[in-house]
Amino acid sequence: MTTTADPVSPRIGQGSAALPDSGGHFGRFGGRFMPEALIAPLDELELAWREAMTDETFIAELDRMLRDYAGVPSLLYDAGRLSTAAGGTRMLLKREDLNHTGAHKVRNVLGQALLTKRMGKTRVIAETGAGQHGVATATACAYLDLDCVVYMGEVDIERQALNVARMRMLGARVVPVNTGSRTLKDAINEALRDWVSNVDDTHYLLGTAAGAHPFPAMVRDFTRAIGDEARAQVLDLTGRLPDAVCACVGGGSNAIGIFTAFVADADVALYGFEAGGEGVATGRHAATITGGDVGVLHGARSYLLQDADGQTVESHSISAGLDYPGVGPEHAWLAESGRATYRPVTDAEAMTAMALLCRTEGIICAIESAHAVAGALDVARELGPDATVLINLSGRGDKDMHTAAEWFDLVDASGEVTYAATAETGAPGADGGAGSTR
Amino acid sequence: MTPVATALASARNDGRAALVGYLPAAYPSVDGSIAAIQAMVEGGCDAIEVGLPYSDPVMDGPTIQRAAERALAGGARTSDTLRVVEAVAATGVPVLVMTYWNPVERYGVERFAADLTAAGGAGLITPDLVPEEAGEWVAAADAHALDKVFLVAPSSTPERIASTAASCRGFVYATSVMGVTGTRDVTSTLAPELVARVRALTDLPVGVGLGVRDGQQAAEVAGFADAVIVGSAFVAQLLDAGADHAAGIEAVRTLTVDLAAGVRSAAGVRAAT
């Protein structure tokens, strides 16, 4: 059963949060650890964003783009068969996977791209890991007639050739980054170097709720309608608030997007699921809050994966979108204040949950979102059958079929699809091995 | 006055700008970096910046990135940077550490300040730490009488230049361009204006960095700045020399002599201002 969002307003920028403070701090996290040359551009951006958020014309234009172009508000879906598999707990899916470009990211990207126009800038740069944020940015730039340059690590370019083609198809220039670990964090470094050199005509369209102030707060503003919509949709459907809200956390934009509307609802538990990779104990993971320490990376104080000398350590996850050694500062604050709970979900647990959602609901979600599904199934078990659990299904899994096909051994040498055994029960993660283990 | 301020004042008394040379610690090795920096001292640098190699150097262009990357791949530790500081400080030239913030925070800010002091270091240049976030560092630096060198940029507002300069000790570091480290063919037209804006707001000496590669450019910058800061051009000598580190050291020495002559050739210009 689905419910449309009406009369939910997709309105952006409603409400206001107490944090961050004027310096961009969430408790001891956040702030601005940036070269002085970028402080004035960050101030300019903050001013433009705050003014835009009180400008009815800007809000109306963004609302129109989100509604007519991106397909927002997204559906809330009452996942009956998943609920049965979860032991009776009512599982509600916020279908961000149905948005144009296939994920929640379009909300942030359209917001920042429209802000770019408002600031009179003509060029947009972005970083991308798996290519999803790059594709979304290239899409928005095509739509709004902006020049687009996407920085992408050489390692990621090799892993995500199809998304490179998508970005180029959309008219973006994809610049390979061959420094450091040649992955997402180095792409961010290179985008920052570009920004400081070209800031007069260029906006850095950061893809997540991380980085220096005002990015974490601004990206939250552009994504918080996920939770505003979902909260009203859940009330409309069930007559009460959910018992728990679940989301995956890489940098944290989809999670902060759905959490924000519920932060003041003390009875609603908030769960963020980090990429546990091969297991936090193995050291090969991206579970920054669970397995990292407090430090400074990419402009903010937060949790990060670092060695004894404060050098950034490479993260590992089967999900490229969660494969980042940092996390947004507001999540660090929500974790430290106890308002939200962060847990790791391993590659195997996520893939099992992905398969379960496919077989019970006919929905192929992104591997990122599968971390939220896996974690939510554990939460459901803890809360019991009377509970309602809201999951942010942040993206769709088309992009992940190569990874899934390898993981589940779906394509044999002859090219035939073989139906490997997948999760038969509602207890994914119990054996960590739907289909073949790897 | 701190040792760096004294060195800059001494150059000023000679009617010239000071020459400040940068090299990262532990490239190509700890001892190799010490030898190269000693050549910079012998060639005429008035003060030294030792770079602490960091995994995510967003202010640095490709040249310094490569050297830092290789230093880290070779196992460089924070303690190695302190070792280089100690060896260079033994020559009597004031030594600052140029470092991104996270390694200091990870080491422990007070502990870093204490160990830097023990090694004979003069202070820190902090490219990604602005005074607003620097409370702990300012307290530690004040407790140990270390220099606090923050950066100003062409984009800085007058208010920020004033507040940043007020937080500095030693000198104010003016980044001459909107960009990252690396040599440029033409010296920045933004730099003289920025230096003038800084001078209007502080009595501290002003050092100019980013882009200088030879004696002629050094002379130009020396015409309006109190210190000419050179980094990538030195690093490039070592990178270009590859495995022949002895040749790299000689190239560093030759470049230093050229730059040192450059800052002196501008003396007439300075005297006129």
Side-chain angles (χ1 to χ4, degrees), chain A residues 36-37 180 296 301 309 312, chain B residues 55-56 69 77 102 105 155-156:
Chain A
E36 167 65 22
V296 170
R301 181 176 286 115
D309 283 351
T312 311
Chain B
S55 54
D56 296 274
E69 222 171 82
R77 302 290 310 268
N102 197 53
E105 188 157 301
S155 59
S156 302

Side-chain angles (χ1 to χ4, degrees), chain A residues 65-128:
Chain A
M65 284 163 48
L66 288 166
R67 183 187 66 233
D68 298 349
Y69 180 71
V72 163
S74 59
L75 300 174
L76 183 77
Y77 171 67
D78 199 346
R81 293 195 66 218
L82 180 66
S83 299
T84 302
T89 306
R90 194 172 190 179
M91 307 293 269
L92 304 176
L93 305 180
K94 180 62 173 165
R95 295 292 308 275
E96 289 292 296
D97 59 314
L98 296 178
N99 297 345
H100 181 42
T101 72
H104 73 287
K105 285 186 178 294
V106 71
R107 296 177 185 258
N108 170 46
V109 162
L110 285 177
Q112 287 196 51
L114 192 61
L115 193 58
T116 304
K117 298 284 266 193
R118 182 185 170 88
M119 289 189 290
K121 300 192 175 190
T122 56
R123 179 172 176 269
V124 165
I125 56 173
E127 81 294 342
T128 199

Side-chain angles (χ1 to χ4, degrees), chain A residues 1-21:
Chain A
M1 169 183 177
T2 58
T3 175
T4 59
D6 191 45
V8 176
S9 165
R11 192 172 193 78
I12 293 294
Q14 57 191 5
S16 64
L19 292 176
D21 68 14

Side-chain angles (χ1 to χ4, degrees), chain A residues 299-350:
Chain A
R301 181 176 286 115
S302 186
Y303 288 92
L304 63 129
L305 304 182
Q306 58 182 326
D307 69 11
D309 283 351
Q311 309 288 347
T312 311
V313 170
E314 272 185 67
S315 55
H316 296 274
S317 171
I318 193 170
S319 155
L322 303 181
D323 200 355
Y324 175 60
V327 65
E330 190 166 8
H331 287 296
W333 163 246
L334 289 171
E336 187 167 83
S337 67
R339 179 62 190 92
T341 303
Y342 296 82
R343 297 176 177 172
V345 167
T346 64
D347 291 348
E349 289 164 345

Side-chain angles (χ1 to χ4, degrees), chain A residues 249-268:
Chain A
V249 179
S253 67
N254 93 81
I256 211 68
I258 199 163
F259 284 177
T260 299
F262 296 97
V263 166
D265 300 319
D267 293 339
V268 179

Side-chain angles (χ1 to χ4, degrees), chain A residues 25 31-37 40 178-180 185 189 193 196-197 293 295-296 301 306-312, chain B residues 53-60 65-66 69 77-78 102-103 105-106 127-128 133 151 153 155-156 160 178-179:
Chain A
H25 302 99
R32 274 184 184 168
F33 294 82
M34 275 280 147
E36 167 65 22
N178 62 7
T179 51
K185 80 170 179 69
N189 294 340
R193 294 179 188 120
V196 75
S197 306
D293 308 282
V296 170
R301 181 176 286 115
Q306 58 182 326
D307 69 11
D309 283 351
Q311 309 288 347
T312 311
Chain B
Y54 178 52
S55 54
D56 296 274
V58 297
M59 265 290 283
D60 285 309
Q65 284 177 48
R66 293 283 177 216
E69 222 171 82
R77 302 290 310 268
T78 300
N102 197 53
E105 188 157 301
R106 184 69 163 166
D128 65 346
E133 301 286 357
L151 278 56
S155 59
S156 302
R160 285 198 63 83
M178 290 297 288

Side-chain angles (χ1 to χ4, degrees), chain A residues 2 41 52 55 75 104 132 145 151 176 205 217 230 232 237 239 250 252 280 308 319 344 346 366 412 423 427 433:
Chain A
T2 58
D55 179 346
L75 300 174
H104 73 287
Q132 290 307 105
D145 191 22
Y151 289 94
L205 207 163
L237 179 71
V280 173
S319 155
T346 64
D412 70 16

